[in-house]
Amino acid sequence: MEWMIAVSFGEIFLKGKNRHVFYKAAINNIKRNLRGIDYQGMYSESSKLYIQADRKDFEKIKDNVLKVFGISYVAYVIKTNKNIEDIYAACKEDLSEYFSDKNYTFKVESKRTDKSFKYKSPELSAKIGGFILRDFPNLSVDVHNPNFRVFIDVKDNVYIYSKRFKGLGGLPIGSSGHGLLLLSGGIDSPVAGFMVAKRGMKLDCIHFHSYPFTSKRALQKAVDLAEIMSSYTGKMKIYSVNLADIYKAINQNCDRRETTILSRRFMMRIANKIAETNSYQALITGESLGQVASQTIESVSVINDSSEIPILRPLIAMDKKDIIDISHKMGSYEKSIEPYDDCCSIFAPDNPVTKPKLKYIKMSEEKLDIEALETDAINNMEIIEIAWQSDNSKVIYMSRPLS
């Protein structure tokens, strides 16, 4: 018998002829997350991945694998031989470790991929269930709502497990294109990035600040949020763009009530130019319909006009509580609520226009040298690259101007 970790994939195996592309991406992402962690090897058998490792490293491996999108669950399994004695011995070892301390109900579920095996699935489940009832007086059967299940997978080998952990689901990073996330320092945008990453999109970020009107600590907060996201998405770039001169130009030449809409259109145009240069296929924002002045349907429509590539808004119909729940789950909430102002809040007007008309917004933009302002912002931006070292021990930050 040998203890190991089993990884089960969900939606990947519904992908038909393209399945191998998604599966390869998932395996690469698992290997990326296991850099710096000792394990002996891994292999595939009948749609599952098996990782061989020392049991002292199981929890660390499990926690890192569970950050990979595309995984249904991870289980601690015992690999054994295809005979009834060894199968039950493995079951007994598993149950003795996890379920011998108090009364539980259980159900045995067998799956026989190898049809040449002597026992059909219902027969095997019944036989093993009888052995368990004989040797574990604290356990009883409940086929409808058991406290736990004993899973028996009969393949080339037999795998026994009862301890499994739910994965994130979705699709593996890199299987659904490359997007650019507009990352603020708030709660919403990291969650938006997490959600599109869950659908397989590789992400980089663009962060707009207005130093010296906002502090350098506000920029560091955005970088910290990107670092949290990168534990799920892998290496990441952050384009850091200073909008201070743009905000000053808007305040000097335009109706202050339009500041939010005008600045958002600048952000979209700048992001479009970066996307064109770097082959990003979509922009992603944390906007939720009706949450603030720039997120009314009229505002969203006017902002959309400024982008030539799709703007994805995965939070558009979500309640704030649901967004906060996801931020807790991904580990970004505490960082997001740190009290550092971003450029949107610093320059937000007291009475923002909530139902802007595109023709009036464009008339205001005629008072600005848009091309010069955007070119200057891009020429002076920095790129921060988050890259995990081979031993997975720390994050490297590299800051440089756009080449």
Side-chain angles (χ1 to χ4, degrees):
M1 291 187 292
E2 178 186 4
W3 281 91
M4 54 180 55
I5 293 175
V7 182
S8 297
F9 303 95
E11 194 174 338
I12 290 173
F13 286 97
L14 301 176
K15 293 300 178 182
K17 293 180 180 179
N18 292 325
R19 180 185 304 170
H20 68 284
V21 176
F22 292 87
Y23 185 72
K24 182 179 179 181
I27 298 299
N28 288 339
N29 292 336
I30 289 170
K31 289 179 177 178
R32 177 202 72 212
N33 274 27
L34 294 184
R35 283 183 302 186
I37 302 175
D38 290 331
Y39 65 95
Q40 283 73 57
M42 60 176 65
Y43 64 90
S44 298
E45 187 175 332
S46 297
S47 78
K48 287 187 182 180
L49 179 72
Y50 295 93
I51 303 172
Q52 299 162 301
D54 192 303
R55 287 201 69 191
K56 68 179 175 59
D57 296 316
F58 271 27
E59 185 171 3
K60 187 188 298 184
I61 291 171
K62 177 259 296 180
D63 289 345
N64 280 272
V65 172
L66 286 176
K67 288 186 174 182
V68 175
F69 295 113
I71 291 173
S72 178
Y73 63 83
V74 172
Y76 297 161
V77 307
I78 302 175
K79 175 184 175 182
T80 191
N81 301 313
K82 279 191 285 192
N83 63 71
I84 198 71
E85 294 81 11
D86 287 344
I87 291 172
Y88 179 59
C91 289
K92 191 171 183 179
E93 180 172 335
D94 182 275
L95 297 180
S96 296
E97 177 145 350
Y98 298 122
F99 299 106
S100 61
D101 57 334
K102 61 182 181 180
N103 294 334
Y104 295 97
T105 59
F106 75 95
K107 178 183 180 181
V108 179
E109 294 187 5
S110 301
K111 184 177 180 181
R112 188 182 62 144
T113 304
D114 179 5
K115 302 304 181 184
S116 67
F117 183 64
K118 178 179 179 180
Y119 299 97
K120 294 181 179 180
S121 296
E123 295 172 320
L124 180 60
S125 295
K127 199 165 188 68
I128 295 299
F131 291 154
I132 292 172
L133 290 172
R134 180 192 68 193
D135 294 339
F136 291 86
N138 63 310
L139 302 182
S140 58
V141 172
D142 184 343
V143 297
H144 299 295
N145 189 31
N147 296 130
F148 70 92
R149 287 172 165 80
V150 180
F151 297 95
I152 305 173
D153 292 345
V154 181
K155 306 178 179 181
D156 293 338
N157 301 282
V158 178
Y159 300 91
I160 311 296
Y161 58 100
S162 60
K163 199 75 170 177
R164 66 181 189 178
F165 308 88
K166 186 174 176 58
L168 294 170
L171 297 173
I173 292 292
S175 62
S176 299
H178 202 173
L180 187 62
L181 170 69
L182 276 71
L183 178 65
S184 70
I187 295 171
D188 299 341
S189 58
V191 174
F194 179 87
M195 291 185 68
V196 293
K198 183 176 179 179
R199 299 310 304 162
M201 181 167 281
K202 179 76 176 71
L203 287 180
D204 287 321
C205 302
I206 181 168
H207 175 71
F208 295 98
H209 64 93
S210 52
Y211 181 80
F213 300 103
T214 53
S215 69
K216 288 186 177 181
R217 190 64 191 85
L219 170 60
Q220 184 59 49
K221 177 184 175 183
V223 173
D224 292 342
L225 287 169
E227 179 184 339
I228 292 169
M229 288 174 30
S230 73
S231 66
Y232 300 93
T233 63
K235 65 181 180 179
M236 180 180 288
K237 288 182 181 178
I238 307 170
Y239 302 91
S240 175
V241 181
N242 193 333
L243 293 185
D245 288 341
I246 290 174
Y247 275 112
K248 286 190 287 185
I250 291 172
N251 285 336
Q252 290 169 5
N253 296 283
C254 304
D255 186 337
R256 180 167 167 75
R257 293 175 302 168
E258 298 176 338
T259 300
T260 301
I261 298 300
L262 289 168
S263 62
R264 290 293 287 181
R265 284 170 59 86
F266 268 103
M267 292 178 190
M268 295 302 169
R269 286 192 297 264
I270 290 170
N272 268 253
K273 290 179 178 179
I274 295 170
E276 182 179 2
T277 303
N278 296 276
S279 301
Y280 297 112
Q281 298 158 293
L283 305 181
I284 303 98
T285 77
E287 292 164 302
S288 177
L289 193 63
Q291 190 174 139
V292 295
S294 65
Q295 296 172 22
T296 64
I297 190 62
E298 293 86 356
S299 296
V300 167
S301 297
V302 171
I303 291 167
N304 279 349
D305 174 77
S306 61
S307 180
E308 296 180 2
I309 62 174
I311 303 174
L312 307 183
R313 297 178 172 92
L315 312 186
I316 195 69
M318 291 183 65
D319 290 340
K320 191 68 174 184
K321 180 183 180 302
D322 296 329
I323 298 169
I324 290 172
D325 287 346
I326 296 173
S327 73
H328 279 294
K329 180 180 178 181
M330 63 180 287
S332 62
Y333 178 77
E334 294 301 328
K335 178 59 63 175
S336 291
I337 63 172
E338 287 183 359
Y340 299 102
D341 289 325
D342 58 26
C343 60
C344 295
S345 57
I346 285 288
F347 290 97
D350 295 330
N351 247 332
V353 59
T354 57
K355 295 183 178 182
K357 299 288 186 182
L358 182 59
K359 66 176 181 179
Y360 296 127
I361 294 299
K362 287 190 171 183
M363 287 172 61
S364 293
E365 288 178 338
E366 290 176 1
K367 303 172 185 176
L368 303 168
D369 190 343
I370 290 175
E371 187 63 33
L373 288 167
E374 291 175 355
T375 299
D376 189 57
I378 291 173
N379 287 342
N380 289 287
M381 78 179 175
E382 292 183 317
I383 299 175
I384 302 165
E385 298 187 44
I386 300 178
W388 297 93
Q389 293 198 134
S390 59
D391 63 358
N392 217 29
S393 61
K394 64 179 180 179
V395 175
I396 307 167
Y397 298 97
M398 297 173 288
S399 186
R400 60 181 174 82
L402 181 65
S403 56

